CSV table of all heavy atoms in Angstrom, one decimal:
chain,number,residue,atom,x,y,z
C,25,HIS,N,12.0,15.5,-26.4
C,25,HIS,CA,12.5,15.5,-25.0
C,25,HIS,C,13.2,14.2,-24.7
C,25,HIS,O,13.1,13.2,-25.4
C,25,HIS,CB,11.3,15.7,-24.1
C,25,HIS,CG,10.3,14.6,-24.1
C,25,HIS,ND1,9.3,14.5,-25.1
C,25,HIS,CD2,10.1,13.5,-23.4
C,25,HIS,CE1,8.6,13.5,-24.9
C,25,HIS,NE2,9.1,12.8,-23.9
C,26,ASN,N,13.9,14.2,-23.6
C,26,ASN,CA,14.6,13.0,-23.1
C,26,ASN,C,13.5,12.0,-22.6
C,26,ASN,O,12.7,12.4,-21.9
C,26,ASN,CB,15.6,13.3,-22.0
C,26,ASN,CG,16.8,14.1,-22.6
C,26,ASN,OD1,17.2,13.9,-23.7
C,26,ASN,ND2,17.3,15.0,-21.7
C,27,PRO,N,13.6,10.7,-23.0
C,27,PRO,CA,12.6,9.8,-22.6
C,27,PRO,C,12.6,9.3,-21.2
C,27,PRO,O,11.7,8.8,-20.7
C,27,PRO,CB,12.8,8.6,-23.6
C,27,PRO,CG,14.3,8.7,-23.9
C,27,PRO,CD,14.6,10.1,-23.9
C,28,ILE,N,13.8,9.5,-20.5
C,28,ILE,CA,13.9,9.1,-19.1
C,28,ILE,C,13.6,10.3,-18.2
C,28,ILE,O,14.2,11.3,-18.3
C,28,ILE,CB,15.3,8.6,-18.8
C,28,ILE,CG1,15.7,7.4,-19.8
C,28,ILE,CG2,15.4,8.1,-17.4
C,28,ILE,CD1,14.8,6.2,-19.7
C,29,VAL,N,12.6,10.1,-17.3
C,29,VAL,CA,12.3,11.1,-16.4
C,29,VAL,C,12.7,10.9,-15.0
C,29,VAL,O,12.7,11.8,-14.1
C,29,VAL,CB,10.8,11.5,-16.5
C,29,VAL,CG1,10.4,12.0,-17.8
C,29,VAL,CG2,9.9,10.3,-16.0
C,30,TRP,N,13.0,9.6,-14.6
C,30,TRP,CA,13.3,9.2,-13.3
C,30,TRP,C,14.0,7.9,-13.3
C,30,TRP,O,13.7,7.1,-14.1
C,30,TRP,CB,12.0,9.2,-12.4
C,30,TRP,CG,12.2,8.9,-11.0
C,30,TRP,CD1,12.0,7.8,-10.3
C,30,TRP,CD2,12.7,9.9,-10.0
C,30,TRP,NE1,12.3,7.9,-9.0
C,30,TRP,CE2,12.7,9.2,-8.7
C,30,TRP,CE3,13.1,11.2,-10.0
C,30,TRP,CZ2,13.1,9.8,-7.6
C,30,TRP,CZ3,13.5,11.8,-8.9
C,30,TRP,CH2,13.5,11.1,-7.7
C,31,PHE,N,14.8,7.6,-12.3
C,31,PHE,CA,15.4,6.3,-12.1
C,31,PHE,C,15.4,6.0,-10.6
C,31,PHE,O,15.4,6.9,-9.8
C,31,PHE,CB,16.8,6.1,-12.8
C,31,PHE,CG,17.9,6.9,-12.1
C,31,PHE,CD1,18.5,6.4,-11.0
C,31,PHE,CD2,18.2,8.2,-12.6
C,31,PHE,CE1,19.5,7.1,-10.4
C,31,PHE,CE2,19.2,8.9,-12.0
C,31,PHE,CZ,19.9,8.4,-10.9
C,32,GLU,N,15.4,4.7,-10.3
C,32,GLU,CA,15.6,4.2,-8.9
C,32,GLU,C,16.6,3.1,-8.9
C,32,GLU,O,16.6,2.2,-9.8
C,32,GLU,CB,14.3,3.8,-8.3
C,32,GLU,CG,13.3,4.9,-8.2
C,32,GLU,CD,11.9,4.4,-7.7
C,32,GLU,OE1,11.6,3.2,-7.7
C,32,GLU,OE2,11.1,5.3,-7.4
C,33,ILE,N,17.5,3.1,-7.9
C,33,ILE,CA,18.5,2.1,-7.7
C,33,ILE,C,18.1,1.4,-6.4
C,33,ILE,O,18.2,2.0,-5.4
C,33,ILE,CB,19.9,2.6,-7.7
C,33,ILE,CG1,20.2,3.3,-9.0
C,33,ILE,CG2,20.9,1.5,-7.4
C,33,ILE,CD1,21.6,4.1,-9.0
C,34,TYR,N,17.6,0.2,-6.5
C,34,TYR,CA,17.2,-0.5,-5.2
C,34,TYR,C,18.4,-1.0,-4.5
C,34,TYR,O,19.4,-1.6,-5.0
C,34,TYR,CB,16.2,-1.6,-5.6
C,34,TYR,CG,14.9,-1.0,-5.9
C,34,TYR,CD1,14.6,-0.4,-7.1
C,34,TYR,CD2,13.9,-1.1,-4.9
C,34,TYR,CE1,13.4,0.2,-7.3
C,34,TYR,CE2,12.6,-0.5,-5.1
C,34,TYR,CZ,12.4,0.1,-6.3
C,34,TYR,OH,11.2,0.7,-6.5
C,35,VAL,N,18.4,-0.8,-3.2
C,35,VAL,CA,19.5,-1.1,-2.3
C,35,VAL,C,19.0,-1.9,-1.0
C,35,VAL,O,17.8,-1.7,-0.7
C,35,VAL,CB,20.3,0.1,-1.9
C,35,VAL,CG1,20.8,0.9,-3.1
C,35,VAL,CG2,19.4,1.1,-1.0
C,36,ASP,N,19.9,-2.6,-0.4
C,36,ASP,CA,19.5,-3.3,0.9
C,36,ASP,C,19.9,-2.5,2.1
C,36,ASP,O,19.2,-2.4,3.0
C,36,ASP,CB,20.2,-4.7,0.9
C,36,ASP,CG,19.7,-5.6,-0.1
C,36,ASP,OD1,18.4,-5.6,-0.4
C,36,ASP,OD2,20.5,-6.4,-0.7
C,37,ASP,N,21.1,-1.8,2.0
C,37,ASP,CA,21.6,-1.0,3.1
C,37,ASP,C,21.7,0.4,2.6
C,37,ASP,O,22.7,0.8,2.0
C,37,ASP,CB,23.0,-1.6,3.6
C,37,ASP,CG,23.5,-0.8,4.8
C,37,ASP,OD1,23.2,0.4,5.0
C,37,ASP,OD2,24.2,-1.5,5.5
C,38,ILE,N,20.6,1.2,2.9
C,38,ILE,CA,20.5,2.5,2.4
C,38,ILE,C,21.6,3.5,2.8
C,38,ILE,O,22.1,4.3,2.1
C,38,ILE,CB,19.1,3.1,2.6
C,38,ILE,CG1,18.9,4.4,1.8
C,38,ILE,CG2,18.9,3.4,4.1
C,38,ILE,CD1,18.1,4.1,0.6
C,39,ALA,N,22.1,3.3,4.1
C,39,ALA,CA,23.1,4.2,4.6
C,39,ALA,C,24.4,3.9,3.9
C,39,ALA,O,25.2,4.8,3.5
C,39,ALA,CB,23.3,4.0,6.1
C,40,ARG,N,24.7,2.6,3.7
C,40,ARG,CA,26.0,2.2,3.0
C,40,ARG,C,25.9,2.7,1.6
C,40,ARG,O,26.9,3.2,1.1
C,40,ARG,CB,26.1,0.7,3.1
C,40,ARG,CG,27.3,0.1,2.4
C,40,ARG,CD,27.4,-1.4,2.6
C,40,ARG,NE,26.3,-2.1,1.9
C,40,ARG,CZ,25.9,-3.3,2.2
C,40,ARG,NH1,26.6,-4.0,3.1
C,40,ARG,NH2,24.9,-3.8,1.6
C,41,ALA,N,24.8,2.5,0.9
C,41,ALA,CA,24.7,2.9,-0.5
C,41,ALA,C,24.8,4.4,-0.7
C,41,ALA,O,25.5,4.9,-1.6
C,41,ALA,CB,23.4,2.4,-1.1
C,42,LYS,N,24.2,5.1,0.3
C,42,LYS,CA,24.2,6.6,0.2
C,42,LYS,C,25.7,7.1,0.4
C,42,LYS,O,26.1,7.9,-0.4
C,42,LYS,CB,23.4,7.2,1.4
C,42,LYS,CG,23.4,8.7,1.4
C,42,LYS,CD,22.4,9.1,2.6
C,42,LYS,CE,22.3,10.6,2.7
C,42,LYS,NZ,23.5,11.2,3.3
C,43,SER,N,26.4,6.5,1.3
C,43,SER,CA,27.8,6.8,1.5
C,43,SER,C,28.6,6.5,0.2
C,43,SER,O,29.5,7.3,-0.2
C,43,SER,CB,28.4,6.1,2.7
C,43,SER,OG,29.7,6.3,2.8
C,44,PHE,N,28.4,5.4,-0.4
C,44,PHE,CA,29.1,5.0,-1.6
C,44,PHE,C,28.9,6.1,-2.7
C,44,PHE,O,29.9,6.6,-3.2
C,44,PHE,CB,28.6,3.6,-2.1
C,44,PHE,CG,29.2,3.2,-3.4
C,44,PHE,CD1,30.5,2.7,-3.5
C,44,PHE,CD2,28.6,3.4,-4.6
C,44,PHE,CE1,31.1,2.3,-4.7
C,44,PHE,CE2,29.1,3.1,-5.8
C,44,PHE,CZ,30.4,2.5,-5.9
C,45,TYR,N,27.7,6.4,-3.0
C,45,TYR,CA,27.5,7.3,-4.1
C,45,TYR,C,27.9,8.7,-3.8
C,45,TYR,O,28.5,9.4,-4.6
C,45,TYR,CB,26.0,7.3,-4.5
C,45,TYR,CG,25.6,6.1,-5.3
C,45,TYR,CD1,25.0,5.0,-4.7
C,45,TYR,CD2,25.9,6.0,-6.7
C,45,TYR,CE1,24.8,3.9,-5.5
C,45,TYR,CE2,25.6,4.9,-7.4
C,45,TYR,CZ,25.1,3.8,-6.8
C,45,TYR,OH,24.8,2.7,-7.5
C,46,GLU,N,27.8,9.2,-2.6
C,46,GLU,CA,28.2,10.5,-2.2
C,46,GLU,C,29.8,10.6,-2.3
C,46,GLU,O,30.3,11.6,-2.7
C,46,GLU,CB,27.8,10.8,-0.7
C,46,GLU,CG,26.3,11.2,-0.7
C,46,GLU,CD,25.8,11.5,0.7
C,46,GLU,OE1,26.4,11.1,1.7
C,46,GLU,OE2,24.8,12.2,0.8
C,47,ASN,N,30.5,9.5,-1.9
C,47,ASN,CA,31.9,9.5,-1.9
C,47,ASN,C,32.4,9.4,-3.4
C,47,ASN,O,33.4,10.1,-3.7
C,47,ASN,CB,32.5,8.4,-1.1
C,47,ASN,CG,32.5,8.7,0.4
C,47,ASN,OD1,33.1,9.7,0.8
C,47,ASN,ND2,31.8,8.0,1.2
C,48,VAL,N,31.9,8.5,-4.2
C,48,VAL,CA,32.4,8.3,-5.5
C,48,VAL,C,32.1,9.5,-6.4
C,48,VAL,O,32.9,10.0,-7.1
C,48,VAL,CB,31.8,7.0,-6.1
C,48,VAL,CG1,32.1,6.9,-7.6
C,48,VAL,CG2,32.3,5.8,-5.4
C,49,LEU,N,30.8,10.0,-6.3
C,49,LEU,CA,30.4,11.1,-7.2
C,49,LEU,C,30.6,12.5,-6.6
C,49,LEU,O,30.4,13.5,-7.3
C,49,LEU,CB,28.9,10.9,-7.6
C,49,LEU,CG,28.6,9.7,-8.3
C,49,LEU,CD1,27.1,9.6,-8.5
C,49,LEU,CD2,29.3,9.6,-9.7
C,50,GLN,N,31.0,12.5,-5.3
C,50,GLN,CA,31.3,13.8,-4.6
C,50,GLN,C,30.0,14.7,-4.7
C,50,GLN,O,30.1,15.9,-5.1
C,50,GLN,CB,32.5,14.5,-5.2
C,50,GLN,CG,33.8,13.8,-5.0
C,50,GLN,CD,34.3,13.7,-3.6
C,50,GLN,OE1,34.8,14.7,-3.1
C,50,GLN,NE2,34.1,12.5,-3.0
C,51,ILE,N,28.9,14.1,-4.3
C,51,ILE,CA,27.6,14.8,-4.3
C,51,ILE,C,26.9,14.6,-2.9
C,51,ILE,O,27.4,13.8,-2.1
C,51,ILE,CB,26.6,14.3,-5.4
C,51,ILE,CG1,26.4,12.8,-5.2
C,51,ILE,CG2,27.2,14.6,-6.8
C,51,ILE,CD1,25.4,12.2,-6.1
C,52,THR,N,25.8,15.3,-2.7
C,52,THR,CA,25.0,15.0,-1.5
C,52,THR,C,23.6,14.6,-1.9
C,52,THR,O,23.0,15.2,-2.7
C,52,THR,CB,24.9,16.3,-0.6
C,52,THR,OG1,26.2,16.8,-0.3
C,52,THR,CG2,24.1,16.1,0.6
C,53,LEU,N,23.2,13.4,-1.4
C,53,LEU,CA,21.9,12.9,-1.6
C,53,LEU,C,21.0,13.5,-0.5
C,53,LEU,O,21.4,13.6,0.6
C,53,LEU,CB,21.8,11.4,-1.6
C,53,LEU,CG,22.3,10.8,-2.9
C,53,LEU,CD1,23.8,10.8,-3.0
C,53,LEU,CD2,21.8,9.4,-3.0
C,54,THR,N,19.7,13.8,-0.9
C,54,THR,CA,18.8,14.3,0.1
C,54,THR,C,17.6,13.4,0.3
C,54,THR,O,17.1,12.7,-0.6
C,54,THR,CB,18.2,15.7,-0.3
C,54,THR,OG1,17.7,15.6,-1.6
C,54,THR,CG2,19.3,16.7,-0.4
C,55,SER,N,17.1,13.4,1.6
C,55,SER,CA,16.0,12.5,1.9
C,55,SER,C,14.7,12.9,1.2
C,55,SER,O,14.4,14.1,1.1
C,55,SER,CB,15.8,12.6,3.4
C,55,SER,OG,14.7,11.7,3.8
C,56,LEU,N,14.0,11.9,0.7
C,56,LEU,CA,12.7,12.2,0.1
C,56,LEU,C,11.6,11.5,1.0
C,56,LEU,O,11.8,10.4,1.5
C,56,LEU,CB,12.6,11.5,-1.3
C,56,LEU,CG,13.3,12.2,-2.4
C,56,LEU,CD1,13.1,11.4,-3.7
C,56,LEU,CD2,12.9,13.6,-2.6
C,57,LEU,N,10.4,12.1,1.0
C,57,LEU,CA,9.3,11.5,1.7
C,57,LEU,C,8.7,10.4,0.8
C,57,LEU,O,8.8,10.5,-0.4
C,57,LEU,CB,8.2,12.6,2.0
C,57,LEU,CG,8.7,13.7,2.9
C,57,LEU,CD1,7.5,14.7,3.1
C,57,LEU,CD2,9.0,13.2,4.3
C,58,ASP,N,8.1,9.5,1.5
C,58,ASP,CA,7.4,8.4,0.7
C,58,ASP,C,6.3,9.0,-0.1
C,58,ASP,O,5.3,9.6,0.4
C,58,ASP,CB,6.8,7.4,1.7
C,58,ASP,CG,6.1,6.2,1.1
C,58,ASP,OD1,5.9,6.2,-0.1
C,58,ASP,OD2,5.9,5.2,1.8
C,59,PRO,N,6.3,8.9,-1.4
C,59,PRO,CA,5.3,9.5,-2.3
C,59,PRO,C,3.9,8.9,-2.2
C,59,PRO,O,3.0,9.4,-2.6
C,59,PRO,CB,5.9,9.3,-3.7
C,59,PRO,CG,6.8,8.2,-3.6
C,59,PRO,CD,7.4,8.2,-2.2
C,60,THR,N,3.9,7.7,-1.6
C,60,THR,CA,2.5,7.0,-1.4
C,60,THR,C,1.8,7.5,-0.2
C,60,THR,O,0.7,7.2,0.0
C,60,THR,CB,2.7,5.5,-1.4
C,60,THR,OG1,3.4,5.2,-0.2
C,60,THR,CG2,3.4,5.0,-2.6
C,61,GLU,N,2.5,8.3,0.6
C,61,GLU,CA,1.9,8.9,1.8
C,61,GLU,C,1.4,7.8,2.8
C,61,GLU,O,0.5,8.1,3.7
C,61,GLU,CB,0.8,9.9,1.5
C,61,GLU,CG,1.4,11.1,0.7
C,61,GLU,CD,0.3,12.1,0.3
C,61,GLU,OE1,-0.8,12.1,0.9
C,61,GLU,OE2,0.6,12.8,-0.6
C,62,GLU,N,1.9,6.6,2.8
C,62,GLU,CA,1.5,5.6,3.7
C,62,GLU,C,2.3,5.9,5.0
C,62,GLU,O,3.5,6.0,5.0
C,62,GLU,CB,1.8,4.2,3.2
C,62,GLU,CG,1.0,3.8,2.0
C,62,GLU,CD,1.4,2.5,1.4
C,62,GLU,OE1,2.1,1.7,2.1
C,62,GLU,OE2,1.0,2.2,0.3
C,63,ASN,N,1.6,6.0,6.1
C,63,ASN,CA,2.2,6.3,7.4
C,63,ASN,C,3.2,5.2,7.9
C,63,ASN,O,4.1,5.5,8.5
C,63,ASN,CB,1.1,6.6,8.5
C,63,ASN,CG,0.4,7.8,8.2
C,63,ASN,OD1,0.9,8.7,7.6
C,63,ASN,ND2,-0.9,7.9,8.6
C,64,GLU,N,2.9,4.0,7.6
C,64,GLU,CA,3.7,2.9,8.1
C,64,GLU,C,4.5,2.2,7.0
C,64,GLU,O,4.8,1.0,7.1
C,64,GLU,CB,2.9,1.9,8.9
C,64,GLU,CG,2.2,2.5,10.1
C,64,GLU,CD,1.5,1.6,11.0
C,64,GLU,OE1,1.9,0.4,11.0
C,64,GLU,OE2,0.5,2.0,11.6
C,65,SER,N,4.9,2.9,6.0
C,65,SER,CA,5.7,2.4,4.9
C,65,SER,C,7.1,2.0,5.3
C,65,SER,O,7.7,2.7,6.1
C,65,SER,CB,5.7,3.4,3.7
C,65,SER,OG,6.5,2.9,2.7
C,66,SER,N,7.6,1.0,4.7
C,66,SER,CA,9.0,0.6,4.9
C,66,SER,C,9.9,1.3,3.9
C,66,SER,O,11.1,0.9,3.8
C,66,SER,CB,9.2,-0.9,4.8
C,66,SER,OG,8.9,-1.3,3.5
């Protein structure tokens, strides 16, 4: 199987980064819930 199962690209301005990848790759990114389920997570 492929050894990579997930990747994360850390960003400072999430809206700006989302716009960049959507425009360059012509895709739509979707919001994910915090997997740690912490109510006050940043």
Side-chain angles (χ1 to χ4, degrees):
H25 61 280
N26 291 327
I28 305 298
V29 297
W30 185 256
F31 68 85
E32 295 177 348
I33 301 172
Y34 282 77
V35 302
D36 294 323
D37 185 328
I38 194 99
R40 178 178 64 199
K42 179 178 182 286
S43 176
F44 174 82
Y45 285 98
E46 287 181 334
N47 281 301
V48 170
L49 300 175
Q50 298 290 285
I51 58 172
T52 300
L53 281 77
T54 55
S55 181
L56 287 180
L57 297 176
D58 182 347
T60 63
E61 300 179 17
E62 295 177 15
N63 292 331
E64 297 189 29
S65 174
S66 64

